[in-house]
Amino acid sequence: MRCLAGFALVILSFAGREARAVEPAVLIAEWQVVGPFAAGSREGFVHHLADGRGRLPETFSFEGDHPSLLPDGGRATWRVVKGERDAEGRLNGRIPLDFSEVDWDMRESEWGFSGVLNAAYCVGTFELERDELLLLDAARFSGTINGVPHVGDLYDHDLSRSIVRGRAGRNTVVFRSTGYGPTRKPLFRLLRVSPGAGELLVLEKDVLLPDAVVGRAGEGWAGVPVLNLTDSWLADVTIELSGPGLRGSVTSPFPLAPFAVQKVPVPVSWTAASAVTEKGAPLPVTLTIRTAEGVTTLERGRVVRAAEERRLVSFLSRMDRSAQVYGLSEPVGGPSPERDGLVLRMHGAGVGPRGALQDFDWAWTVAATNRRRFGFDWHDFGRLDFEEVRDLALASLPIDPDRVTLEGNSMGGHGAWVQAVHHSDWFASVTPAAGWVGYDFYVPFTGRRSKAFASPELDSLHLRSLAPGRVSLFLDNLTNVPVRVFHGSRDATVPPVQARLLAGALDRRDHDVALCEAPDGKHWGHDNLRGSKKEPSGCLDASLLREFQVRQRRQPDPRRVVFVTTDPDIDPDRHWVEILQQRKVATDTRIEAEIVSPSRIEVSTRNVEAFALDLGERLERAGIELARAVIVQVGEQELTLRRRGSGMRFELKRRAGRWRARAVARPTEGEVFPNRRPGGMAKAMFRPFLLVAGTRGGDATRQESLLHLGRHLAQHWWRRANGFAPIVRDVDLTDELRERHELVLLGGPDLNHETHALRKGLNVVATHEGVRLAGRPVPGRELAAAHWQPDPRADERRVLVFQSTTATADSLLPLLDPIPPGAGLPDYVIAGPEVRARSWGGFRAAGFWTPDWRLDPSNGWRAAD
């Protein structure tokens, strides 16, 4: 195998010189490839070349073969694949993979869409004359370079970059490429970072700048992604933006970790004069970055929009203090003297917020981003981003909160379903288009190794973690919301059975619902409807849809409330009823409450340990009168609630099998914190957090491994969530940093000073002696663990802890990354190397905590001793 020169990349010089090209790219001309292997949907643990105990080969024999479910005979053999070349014969970094010998039609007929999802492994080598730094530019790539894990750009959007330590002599690349069907072209190339390149690389394609509006002053946020090209912690990095009337600057609040990427948020403001230019013309912006080594500048263009044009508005996310944007379109003809309506639109995969906008004469249109064009499922951070954008729109625009309607297409159609069932009291109407029921219904989990090798009890934890995205579980929440469901009858991307199932279930409940299925329509959405020249029929008529939306008003608080949830952090209340605590975490929870007379309320509960009734002004505004003394019947028990003064809100808790009630003041702003309860460790990263790299113990190799884990998590959060994930050392933590951030601790008490300080209060502790779960040893030597819980020193804070028992087990920690949508990790997991062969079947323990963060053996799974 050999390397050839190829691409070049412009990199910024921080020595005051002009920007110049790096040295030629390192490209591999020939690869050894084996595959395809059945790849279970969202199953990132599995390595198909691992043996039955999860051990990876130290060297490869390309003469052998490997078991596989896809080829005839059940074996995948190695083959030589040459790198793709352009018309002039030069390598371009693409590896053309073709597995047409598999009967893909048969696989799809057996397993459906998930049957054609497959993985292949590519092994290549390159030679270097000396140790040097290389810049990874890869797509549809996940693997190792000299044994160190790296991940490329999943969607091939040319965003991802990371630093590779090349070594003199032979270097080995082993990567996995996943896709649907027989062919694809992953990308792999390495760019040499020349000694004079400077300290930082600005990833220009991902710089975020808010739009300007002609003749209007404003303020907002920019996002500037920078990659540290050195092995030093870079402090006091200053980023400045300037242009006609534009100013903004920030000194990075945290040192930039070695070889790590951070998208730094920068506050900016501009005067009205800065936007006085021809609309659509670029407004020049100068980006200046200052470090201890020098200064560099970069020129960018900022888009100028007219007030009537669709535009992007920036804000600082309350989730992780990153710079984000949403799409905004003013009402056609300008805002009315009275409050307008609001159409909240959720975009499909690959579309983005500006492309999701529509123009209405009766409403503003706002589109959140899902953090990236492919945030997927609108779960987790996408859901939280949507909720924040909705709050910003209601707070900043002249909108009637009773005239808010929700739309979404494709991925956004599923998002509209999800937001509707979890926040039905926000919306006047909902019109999802081409959305799916839940991911495991859309792309079934048939091929997951967990289905074959994990116990049913263990596998069920994954489904329970993902339950908030399964719309069908929560349809009763839509009792008071009219729904119009759009789909094409020939949609091959999201089959119409998804819409038929949900609309049919609502119809059986006598809800106000209509299925609007376009005959012979393909991947159908609202955009098809509004631009269609076909003869309209029924609710497929654009004018009828608009008329329907315009006349809808959010219904006032009803006398009867039906509320279903599996996670009260997502949707704690519905109208005048709030669930405060579940009896069993991440389990179907239901409450029905009805005001049957001014002096009587009847309540039934399932899996509810505590709830609240708000019997004050909101019911009065809805025209519901209550007596001063109200009898509340909960099951067979009756309680008398006396309404007086501030005692309009009552909390009811179960004690010793009996309900007890007390009057309380409604929580004030700032006292209600989301994502405080057990229910999945990803929630630890849905508030501002720090990745804390361990420096304890003196093992430099393991410390570097933990720092690389921090780089992996930070890059993944940036690439997937467009987010801000600072890395700090454990010795640099201060009380102020602890108070303002959640902590993601990298390393157990042997390796991380902060974990060591908390060890006596941690539910899971991993040392060289093994792993203990709630004080009890877990069998196994090579183990990795991840869990979250309250900080033992401050109950209002949370910590997420990654730990392992040995240097070999450190390689399992990146597999426990909770960020990917669909990861579905519960509150704690302990894994052995067998996860590479059996996925969740390789877990030694996993589960959810009790509501007060203790071990609940009935709500988890543990391998036998």
Side-chain angles (χ1 to χ4, degrees), residues 87-122:
E88 298 178 359
R90 296 175 301 189
L91 288 170
N92 60 16
R94 296 285 177 181
I95 304 104
L97 302 182
D98 189 338
F99 302 105
S100 298
E101 71 275 11
V102 173
D103 189 339
W104 294 103
D105 290 338
M106 180 176 288
R107 298 291 84 83
E108 187 170 9
S109 69
E110 294 169 340
W111 286 355
F113 190 35
S114 58
V116 297
L117 179 60
N118 67 91
Y121 292 82
C122 305

Side-chain angles (χ1 to χ4, degrees), residues 334-468:
S336 65
E338 301 179 355
R339 290 181 176 268
D340 293 291
L342 172 64
V343 177
L344 290 168
R345 303 205 82 219
M346 308 183 79
H347 66 79
V351 176
R354 197 194 307 276
L357 291 172
Q358 287 287 329
D359 300 316
F360 303 93
D361 57 7
W362 62 278
W364 298 75
T365 311
V366 166
T369 65
N370 204 359
R371 289 299 186 98
R372 289 289 190 190
R373 291 189 296 148
F374 285 89
F376 226 79
D377 277 14
W378 286 95
H379 290 164
D380 300 339
F381 50 79
R383 172 182 55 80
L384 293 170
D385 190 74
F386 171 86
E387 293 171 7
E388 181 169 12
V389 167
R390 174 253 185 192
D391 292 346
L392 289 169
L394 291 178
S396 61
L397 302 174
I399 289 169
D400 181 350
D402 292 330
R403 299 179 65 201
V404 178
T405 190
L406 177 61
E407 292 185 352
N409 292 355
S410 190
M411 179 183 77
H414 173 72
W417 277 116
V418 168
Q419 292 293 350
V421 296
H422 291 315
H423 300 295
S424 59
D425 50 348
W426 288 1
F427 307 114
S429 66
V430 181
T431 58
W436 53 82
V437 176
Y439 193 81
D440 62 318
F441 194 85
Y442 170 43
V443 183
F445 289 160
T446 312
R448 287 175 59 90
R449 291 200 180 184
S450 298
K451 297 297 180 185
F453 298 113
S455 71
E457 297 83 3
L458 183 58
D459 190 45
S460 71
L461 296 173
H462 180 245
L463 294 179
R464 288 171 59 192
S465 295
L466 300 180

Side-chain angles (χ1 to χ4, degrees), residues 241-530:
L241 288 92
S242 60
L246 173 71
R247 292 292 181 269
S249 68
V250 72
T251 298
S252 180
F254 304 97
L256 301 183
F259 304 140
V261 65
Q262 289 293 329
K263 190 168 185 178
V264 181
V266 184
V268 293
S269 61
W270 56 92
T271 64
S274 68
V276 178
T277 186
E278 182 181 352
K279 75 174 185 178
L283 195 65
V285 175
T286 300
L287 175 63
T288 303
I289 301 183
R290 305 177 189 275
T291 71
E293 295 297 319
V295 179
T296 194
T297 60
L298 173 69
E299 299 297 329
R300 296 283 293 176
R302 181 166 173 239
V303 179
V304 179
R305 307 283 179 185
E308 66 273 13
E309 285 188 293
R310 302 169 186 177
R311 60 184 182 272
L312 297 179
V313 180
S314 63
F315 64 98
L316 187 70
S317 171
R318 64 193 178 197
M319 190 194 322
D320 61 354
R321 301 195 182 105
S322 63
Q324 301 294 333
V325 295
Y326 62 87
L328 175 65
S329 178
E330 296 190 4
V332 176
S336 65
E338 301 179 355
R339 290 181 176 268
D340 293 291
L342 172 64
V343 177
L344 290 168
R345 303 205 82 219
M346 308 183 79
H347 66 79
V351 176
R354 197 194 307 276
L357 291 172
Q358 287 287 329
D359 300 316
F360 303 93
D361 57 7
W362 62 278
W364 298 75
T365 311
V366 166
T369 65
N370 204 359
R371 289 299 186 98
R372 289 289 190 190
R373 291 189 296 148
F374 285 89
F376 226 79
D377 277 14
W378 286 95
H379 290 164
D380 300 339
F381 50 79
R383 172 182 55 80
L384 293 170
D385 190 74
F386 171 86
E387 293 171 7
E388 181 169 12
V389 167
R390 174 253 185 192
D391 292 346
L392 289 169
L394 291 178
S396 61
L397 302 174
I399 289 169
D400 181 350
D402 292 330
R403 299 179 65 201
V404 178
T405 190
L406 177 61
E407 292 185 352
N409 292 355
S410 190
M411 179 183 77
H414 173 72
W417 277 116
V418 168
Q419 292 293 350
V421 296
H422 291 315
H423 300 295
S424 59
D425 50 348
W426 288 1
F427 307 114
S429 66
V430 181
T431 58
W436 53 82
V437 176
Y439 193 81
D440 62 318
F441 194 85
Y442 170 43
V443 183
F445 289 160
T446 312
R448 287 175 59 90
R449 291 200 180 184
S450 298
K451 297 297 180 185
F453 298 113
S455 71
E457 297 83 3
L458 183 58
D459 190 45
S460 71
L461 296 173
H462 180 245
L463 294 179
R464 288 171 59 192
S465 295
L466 300 180
R470 187 181 289 182
V471 176
S472 52
L473 300 178
F474 311 102
L475 291 177
D476 281 345
N477 292 339
L478 293 174
T479 299
N480 301 301
V481 182
V483 181
R484 299 295 180 265
V485 187
F486 293 85
H487 221 107
S489 65
R490 296 294 180 266
D491 189 340
T493 304
V494 182
V497 295
Q498 310 276 335
R500 294 169 189 170
L501 184 146
L502 295 174
L506 287 174
D507 187 43
R508 293 184 187 95
R509 289 168 165 82
D510 293 325
H511 287 197
D512 183 356
V513 62
L515 174 60
C516 309
E517 189 170 305
D520 297 322
K522 295 186 178 180
H523 197 43
W524 188 261
H526 305 91
D527 297 344
N528 304 93
L529 173 66
R530 295 193 174 103

Side-chain angles (χ1 to χ4, degrees), residues 74 106 322 334 385 518 596 734 760 834:
M106 180 176 288
S322 63
D385 190 74
V596 296
T734 64
K760 292 183 179 179
E834 296 85 357

Side-chain angles (χ1 to χ4, degrees), residues 610-630:
F611 67 95
L613 301 176
D614 188 348
L615 307 181
E617 294 180 357
R618 63 181 305 157
L619 290 180
E620 294 176 5
R621 290 195 300 269
I624 300 174
E625 296 183 0
L626 292 178
R628 284 293 178 183
V630 178

Side-chain angles (χ1 to χ4, degrees), residues 693-699 703 706 729-731 746 750-753:
T695 63
R696 189 175 188 269
D699 188 330
Q703 289 178 13
L706 294 174
R729 291 170 291 202
D730 50 8
V731 292
L746 310 178
D750 292 345
L751 300 169
N752 191 301
H753 289 285

